């Protein structure tokens, strides 16, 4: 099932995507899924980020080849950092490169969406806490990342968190392709098999450090091939079995 949030005539709704239509839901994703009977074409609505998380937790260096390309060693434990919810934008929205950076780069990542409150859960129980998966672009000001001791600024600029287009609840994370493109040209081509820690291991690890709430998002790390983009480009992140997150650059 594909769960999406959308706006129509200034109102925000939840929906289920079935082929080329979006069916309005009576409640939230975290209640029983109940259709109202109204459905719309994609042309009639504006897709929003599929959730409004209390926090976005990111995992750094979860692919060995990406750690190597930025000259870092993977840690013994997952490396956690945050992106602020204010950085999030939906598919179709514009990424704005701020004047503080000369090196904005893309990172396609599988994003796990938390389905219920999770604290100190085990990897064996993790599946029941996962609502589903979506796609994220962990946009990074690479020069600022290396000039600052912490990554709050380089990862946290407004619009540096494209997320969407929807949540796929049936997605199985093993052996799925992750691809990013700029203006149609492939920049990253990875596979979830290359992850050091699995999504289930990551939600368990994060929950042992802080409480996760429904709708919180965990970005599971980027494969190698990070590269830059510029004003006027079209940046796309695709994950096999979910879809494509597409953002023009202002
Ligand atoms: Mg990243």
């Amino acid at each position: 099932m594909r769960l999406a949030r959308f706006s129509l005539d200034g109102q925000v709704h939840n929906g289920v995507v079935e082929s080329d239509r979006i069916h309005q839901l009576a409640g939230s994703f975290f209640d029983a899924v109940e259709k109202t009977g109204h459905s719309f074409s994609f042309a009639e609505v504006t897709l929003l980020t599929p959730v409004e998380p209390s926090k976005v937790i990111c995992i750094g260096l979860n692919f060995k080849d990406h750690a190597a390309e930025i000259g870092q060693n993977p840690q013994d434990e997952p490396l956690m950092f945050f992106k602020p919810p204010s950085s999030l934008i939906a598919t179709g929205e514009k990424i704005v490169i701020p004047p503080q950076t000369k090196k904005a780069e893309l990172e396609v990542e599988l994003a796990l969406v938390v389905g219920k409150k999770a604290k100190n859960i085990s990897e064996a129980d993790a599946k029941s806490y996962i609502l589903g998966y979506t796609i994220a672009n962990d946009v990074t000001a690479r020069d600022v990342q290396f000039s600052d001791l912490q990554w709050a600024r380089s990862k946290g600029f407004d619009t540096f968190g494209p997320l969407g287009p929807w949540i796929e609840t049936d997605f199985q994370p093993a052996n799925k392709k992750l691809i990013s493109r700029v203006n149609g040209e492939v920049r990253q081509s990875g596979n979830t098999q290359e992850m050091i820690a699995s999504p289930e291991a990551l939600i368990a690890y994060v929950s042992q450090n802080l409480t996760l709430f429904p709708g919180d998002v965990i970005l599971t790390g980027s494969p190698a091939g990070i590269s830059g983009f510029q004003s006027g480009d079209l940046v796309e992140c695709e994950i096999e079995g979910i879809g494509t997150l597409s953002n023009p650059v202002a």
Side-chain angles (χ1 to χ4, degrees), residues 1-4 15-23 35 39-43 45 47 165-166 168 242-243:
M1 190 166 50
R2 289 181 166 173
L3 303 172
V16 175
V17 175
E18 289 172 1
S19 60
D20 59 348
R21 291 191 75 76
I22 183 158
H23 297 259
K35 291 181 193 168
S39 75
F40 308 97
S41 69
F42 283 108
V45 306
L47 285 178
W166 42 64
E168 176 56 78
I242 302 178

Side-chain angles (χ1 to χ4, degrees), residues 195-208:
M195 286 182 174
I196 295 168
S198 69
E200 290 89 351
L202 290 174
I203 185 176
Y205 177 81
V206 172
S207 83
Q208 286 151 21

Side-chain angles (χ1 to χ4, degrees), residues 144-192:
V144 178
Q145 183 183 20
F146 294 134
S147 65
D148 288 0
L149 272 179
Q150 301 219 357
W151 298 353
R153 209 162 61 108
S154 60
K155 301 279 193 173
F157 289 112
D158 290 354
T159 77
F160 271 31
L163 187 75
W166 42 64
I167 300 163
E168 176 56 78
T169 61
D170 301 321
F171 182 81
Q172 302 301 324
N175 192 19
K176 294 293 193 305
K177 284 183 196 143
L178 304 98
I179 296 160
S180 64
R181 297 184 198 87
V182 175
N183 302 328
E185 182 184 297
V186 172
R187 297 294 178 88
Q188 292 172 285
S189 179
N191 190 296
T192 54

Side-chain angles (χ1 to χ4, degrees), residues 58-61 66 81 83 107-109 138-140 142 151 155 219-222:
C58 304
I59 305 299
L61 313 179
H66 170 58
F81 62 97
K83 279 176 109 74
E107 296 185 2
V108 57
E109 303 197 16
D138 178 18
V139 177
T140 302
R142 199 68 64 193
W151 298 353
K155 301 279 193 173
L219 273 54
T220 60
S222 171

